[in-house]
Amino acid sequence: MSSRLNFTLAALDKLKLPVVGKRAYYNDSKVLGLQVQVTANGTKTFYVYRRINGRPKRVKLGRYPDMKPAQAREQAKITLGQIAEGKDPIEIRRREHAESVTLDEAFGEFLSVRKLKDKTAYDYRRVVEVAFSDWKRKQILKISKELVAKRHARLGRERGEAYANLSMRVLRSILNFASSRYEDEQGRSLLPENPVKRLSDTRAWYRQKRRNTYISQPDLAPWLCSVLDLKSHPESPMAVTVADYLLLMLFTGIRREEAAQLKWADVDLNAKTFITRDTKNHEDHTLPLSDFLHEMLKVRSSEVDGDYVFPGQKGNPYIIEPRRYVKLIAEVSGVPFIIHDLRRTFTTVAESLDIPAYALKRLLNHKMSNDVTAGYIVADVERLRKPMQMVADFLLSVGKVNKQAEVLVFERRHVK
């Protein structure tokens, strides 16, 4: 449906609405090519309708009544002039928008489109806030290769080489996303080459050895003592939560995100099992509970409300990043560690106990799709119970956690 009329306030206000699912178009009698589109819900939008490079296109100008007829005509004349010069106003606007996007805006879109796990999104936000806080309002077009090289070197000096590399990987991901997000009609990026590529071209990435740290046998006793000490203060629910969170990871080898997001609905205290969801290999993983963990979780179930076994603070449904307590345990015990060291410690202990390789892989939830022999093995959770208990018994023995300490842990006062 299309007709011609003089665009005035009165005329536009009286336009009839089309039926639901349809749109009506009205042409201005004064400026050829100027249209107003009317939808069934009453939205009225000004467009210029013209052939651009041989194809009919509509170039959006603005909505009525925010844009008045006189403004629409002036903007239409500018747009028609661009078309007459062989330019595509839509492409011009795309390019102008791409050139104006800031790092913070690109990062916001990145987070809204990419389905990141909560912990990954948290880590990305931390990097942007710490490493690139002064770049957040900078147009990404102005983040040059030279700026990247200087920032990478500075971060390496001030915060460590590993952090510098991590920060640049995060920046590279955001800029790669923006490059594919802002494209012309032919799918070509409207942004220049990712400036982080300079680090590869100049071989400026810091060389990093794979971290292989874990808590050694001599360090297990002071470390466990410090963690259990946190559990002796029921007036501090978060301290108890962090202690139990760390113990679960040490005694099972599961990853930090899997432990943090564990729900009570996935813990079966009767069967002495639990399930981790949304794991790294995208498969649910069922594991047995050792006697130690079974008792620990039984106590927690009577003390903790909500869906999550390890609830968080400040609006977080589950624990996110217990940096303060990790630092405290390291200082008190004299054992420096990062959370992933607990998984490596579990693995090291399991290997030292000669637990069969296939059982260890199942405990760690490692993929076995390329292992022909593993394809014939059906790993029942009960077959993993003995290896899991062996690791727990060894940790308790080497860590010098006696029965009296366990009783103190499990008979603490109810957390209010």
Side-chain angles (χ1 to χ4, degrees):
M1 174 182 175
S2 180
S3 58
R4 191 173 297 279
L5 75 154
N6 180 17
F7 285 180
T8 64
L9 297 177
L12 294 176
D13 287 339
K14 293 179 181 178
L15 291 176
K16 292 183 179 181
L17 304 184
V19 297
V20 175
K22 299 291 184 180
R23 296 177 181 180
Y25 292 91
Y26 298 88
N27 297 301
D28 185 32
S29 60
K30 292 188 175 181
V31 177
L32 185 64
L34 176 61
Q35 289 185 335
V36 67
Q37 178 198 80
V38 184
T39 64
N41 64 6
T43 302
K44 299 167 184 176
T45 309
F46 291 112
Y47 286 90
V48 164
Y49 181 62
R50 266 288 182 268
R51 282 189 173 274
I52 303 175
N53 298 325
R55 296 173 58 190
K57 292 184 180 181
R58 282 190 172 89
V59 183
K60 184 177 178 179
L61 302 180
R63 284 189 175 178
Y64 176 81
D66 295 334
M67 176 176 276
K68 307 303 181 190
Q71 295 172 305
R73 288 189 178 107
E74 287 302 314
Q75 190 60 48
K77 290 175 183 177
I78 295 172
T79 302
L80 289 166
Q82 292 173 331
I83 296 171
E85 293 174 359
K87 300 176 182 177
D88 185 340
I90 297 176
E91 290 299 312
I92 292 174
R93 291 182 186 181
R94 282 179 181 166
R95 186 170 297 279
E96 289 176 346
H97 178 58
E99 292 175 352
S100 69
V101 171
T102 64
L103 177 62
D104 199 39
E105 291 169 339
F107 183 47
E109 288 193 56
F110 174 85
L111 290 178
S112 67
V113 173
R114 294 280 299 275
K115 302 303 180 184
L116 302 178
K117 292 185 177 181
D118 291 345
K119 179 59 173 63
T120 304
Y122 173 85
D123 289 340
Y124 271 53
R125 289 191 182 96
R126 286 283 303 170
V127 167
V128 172
E129 287 294 331
V130 174
F132 307 113
S133 59
D134 56 331
W135 286 8
K136 289 175 64 177
R137 295 185 180 180
K138 184 184 289 292
Q139 295 169 351
I140 56 179
L141 195 69
K142 294 183 179 179
I143 300 177
S144 66
K145 294 181 179 181
E146 189 63 26
L147 284 177
V148 164
K150 289 181 178 179
R151 180 57 54 92
H152 181 245
R154 195 183 94 184
L155 289 170
R157 291 192 305 270
E158 297 177 357
R159 302 190 66 87
E161 295 179 354
Y163 186 84
N165 282 355
L166 169 65
S167 300
M168 287 303 158
R169 286 196 296 269
V170 170
L171 180 63
R172 180 175 60 190
S173 294
I174 297 170
L175 297 182
N176 279 339
F177 167 82
S179 181
S180 62
R181 187 77 165 173
Y182 304 108
E183 297 177 335
D184 63 17
E185 200 171 45
Q186 285 72 45
R188 296 171 300 203
S189 179
L190 296 170
L191 296 172
E193 181 180 64
N194 194 321
V196 181
K197 189 173 180 292
R198 166 67 66 86
L199 301 180
S200 298
D201 293 341
T202 60
R203 298 185 178 182
W205 292 100
Y206 293 113
R207 298 186 66 179
Q208 293 176 249
K209 294 181 179 179
R210 179 173 178 173
R211 185 185 287 268
N212 57 6
T213 55
Y214 64 97
I215 300 175
S216 65
Q217 288 191 26
D219 288 337
L220 276 170
W223 188 89
L224 277 168
C225 182
S226 298
V227 174
L228 292 173
D229 186 56
L230 285 182
K231 292 165 68 69
S232 66
H233 301 286
E235 70 280 358
S236 178
M238 196 59 200
V240 175
T241 293
V242 172
D244 287 348
Y245 169 66
L246 297 176
L247 288 171
L248 180 71
M249 286 183 285
L250 175 66
F251 279 77
T252 63
I254 63 174
R255 297 178 176 88
R256 60 194 301 171
E257 297 88 352
E258 297 163 3
Q261 297 176 33
L262 181 64
K263 292 185 175 182
W264 286 116
D266 293 322
V267 177
D268 189 335
L269 291 174
N270 291 325
K272 296 179 67 174
T273 61
F274 70 102
I275 304 172
T276 55
R277 310 284 185 184
D278 192 24
T279 63
K280 189 174 182 179
N281 66 15
H282 307 294
E283 294 178 357
D284 292 345
H285 187 41
T286 304
L287 286 171
L289 288 168
S290 63
D291 294 340
F292 179 82
L293 289 182
H294 180 250
E295 290 297 319
M296 185 189 83
L297 291 176
K298 193 158 63 173
V299 173
R300 284 199 68 77
S301 68
S302 67
E303 298 177 341
V304 178
D305 295 324
D307 295 332
Y308 291 93
V309 177
F310 305 109
Q313 291 180 314
K314 299 179 181 179
N316 295 313
Y318 51 81
I319 193 168
I320 295 294
E321 187 64 56
R323 282 192 176 91
R324 181 166 71 91
Y325 290 104
V326 168
K327 183 179 179 181
L328 175 63
I329 293 168
E331 290 175 349
V332 172
S333 67
V335 182
F337 74 102
I338 63 172
I339 290 179
H340 197 68
D341 287 348
L342 305 182
R343 180 172 169 85
R344 284 189 286 264
T345 302
F346 175 90
T347 306
T348 302
V349 168
E351 288 179 332
S352 73
L353 296 174
D354 293 327
I355 288 175
Y358 292 119
L360 182 54
K361 281 189 175 184
R362 288 300 303 162
L363 287 171
L364 295 172
N365 198 25
H366 283 166
K367 278 280 192 180
M368 296 190 289
S369 55
N370 294 327
D371 191 320
V372 176
T373 306
Y376 291 93
I377 297 176
V378 178
D380 182 75
V381 65
E382 290 304 318
R383 295 182 64 184
L384 301 178
R385 190 172 299 281
K386 182 179 178 180
M388 186 72 88
Q389 189 63 46
M390 287 173 61
V391 174
D393 291 343
F394 181 87
L395 289 170
L396 294 172
S397 173
V398 174
K400 299 178 182 178
V401 179
N402 56 33
K403 290 296 180 182
Q404 184 181 3
E406 291 183 51
V407 169
L408 288 174
V409 168
F410 297 134
E411 290 187 354
R412 65 179 185 265
R413 289 184 292 113
H414 185 78
V415 177
K416 301 296 183 182

